[in-house]
Amino acid sequence: MHASASQDKNRRKPGHDEGAHNPDYENITLAFRNKDQLKLSQSTPTKQAKFKTSLDPAESPPWLYRTIMMLYVLLALVFLSCIVLSALVLVKNSEMSKELWTLKAELSNVSDTVWNIRELQNQQTRIWEAAQGDIKEVKKTLGTVMSSIQTGNDRLKTVPADITQIKKTLEALEKKAQPQPST
C-alpha cells in the first residue's frame, strides 16, 4: 500500500507552475497526505505489507551476490572433497585388494599344508598298522622258534643218557667182538 501511495503522489505532483503558490492546492495535498498516513497507521498492525520481490538485478542487494558466490565456492569445495574422498577410497580399495590376494595365497598355502599333514598322518597310520602286523607275525615266529628251542633243549637233556646208553652198547659190542682166548 505504501508503494502505491507514493506512486499516487508522484502522479499527482503538479506541473512546474501548477499550484506552486496556490494555498488550496497545498491544503488538498496535505489532506491527502494525512489521509494516506492515517490509512497506513491503521492498516499496519492488522495487515503487514507484502513487498513484491522483483527479479531486476539493479534492485537486488549487494550481499546477495557475495552469498551466492560463497555458496558456489562451498559447492565447489564439497565437490572437490568428494573427488578426493573417492580417490582415497579407490586407493584403499586397491590396497585392500592386494592384501586380500596375499591373504588368499597364504590361506591356500595353509590349506595345502594341512592337506599334506593329513596325508602324512594317513601314511603314518598305514605304516604303524603294517608295523603292528609285522610285530604280531614276528611274535608268532618267535613263539614257534621258542617251542622248537624248548623241544631241542628237552632232547639235549636226554642226550647224555643216550650217550651213556650208546657207550654201554659199544662196549658190549667191543667185548663181543674181541677174540676169546683159547685155552
Side-chain angles (χ1 to χ4, degrees):
M1 279 180 105
H2 183 39
S4 66
S6 67
Q7 286 177 355
D8 287 343
K9 285 181 189 176
N10 288 339
R11 275 190 234 144
R12 290 186 197 154
K13 283 189 179 176
H16 184 51
D17 288 331
E18 183 182 304
H21 296 291
N22 190 352
D24 290 335
Y25 181 77
E26 288 177 9
N27 288 339
I28 292 172
T29 55
L30 282 174
F32 277 121
R33 282 184 195 158
N34 289 338
K35 195 176 186 182
D36 286 339
Q37 287 177 356
L38 183 63
K39 283 182 186 177
L40 283 175
S41 65
Q42 288 175 356
S43 66
T44 303
T46 57
K47 293 182 182 176
Q48 291 185 358
K50 294 184 181 178
F51 293 100
K52 188 176 180 182
T53 58
S54 66
L55 298 175
D56 188 16
E59 294 181 16
S60 57
W63 57 265
L64 183 64
Y65 292 115
R66 281 182 273 154
T67 306
I68 290 173
M69 287 305 292
M70 285 181 177
L71 288 175
Y72 280 136
V73 168
L74 183 64
L75 183 64
L77 288 175
V78 167
F79 183 70
L80 286 174
S81 65
C82 286
I83 290 174
V84 168
L85 286 175
S86 297
L88 287 175
V89 165
L90 286 174
V91 167
K92 285 293 182 182
N93 187 16
S94 173
E95 289 174 7
M96 284 183 65
S97 177
K98 289 177 185 176
E99 288 176 7
L100 285 175
W101 277 107
T102 57
L103 183 63
K104 181 182 176 186
E106 289 175 6
L107 284 175
S108 177
N109 289 341
V110 168
S111 176
D112 290 343
T113 304
V114 167
W115 178 259
N116 290 338
I117 288 172
R118 283 188 184 166
E119 286 295 317
L120 289 173
Q121 285 176 343
N122 290 339
Q123 186 178 5
Q124 183 181 9
T125 304
R126 287 190 299 268
I127 291 171
W128 182 251
E129 288 172 354
Q132 285 179 341
D134 289 344
I135 289 171
K136 286 179 184 176
E137 193 174 315
V138 166
K139 282 182 179 179
K140 285 180 186 176
T141 307
L142 278 176
T144 308
V145 168
M146 290 296 281
S147 80
S148 297
I149 289 173
Q150 187 65 33
T151 307
N153 283 340
D154 291 342
R155 284 188 185 168
L156 282 176
K157 285 180 185 176
T158 61
V159 166
D162 290 340
I163 289 176
T164 15
Q165 179 83 14
I166 293 171
K167 280 182 182 178
K168 286 181 185 177
T169 309
L170 280 175
E171 286 176 6
L173 284 177
E174 276 182 13
K175 283 182 186 176
K176 285 184 186 178
Q178 281 183 1
Q180 294 203 357
S182 351
T183 15

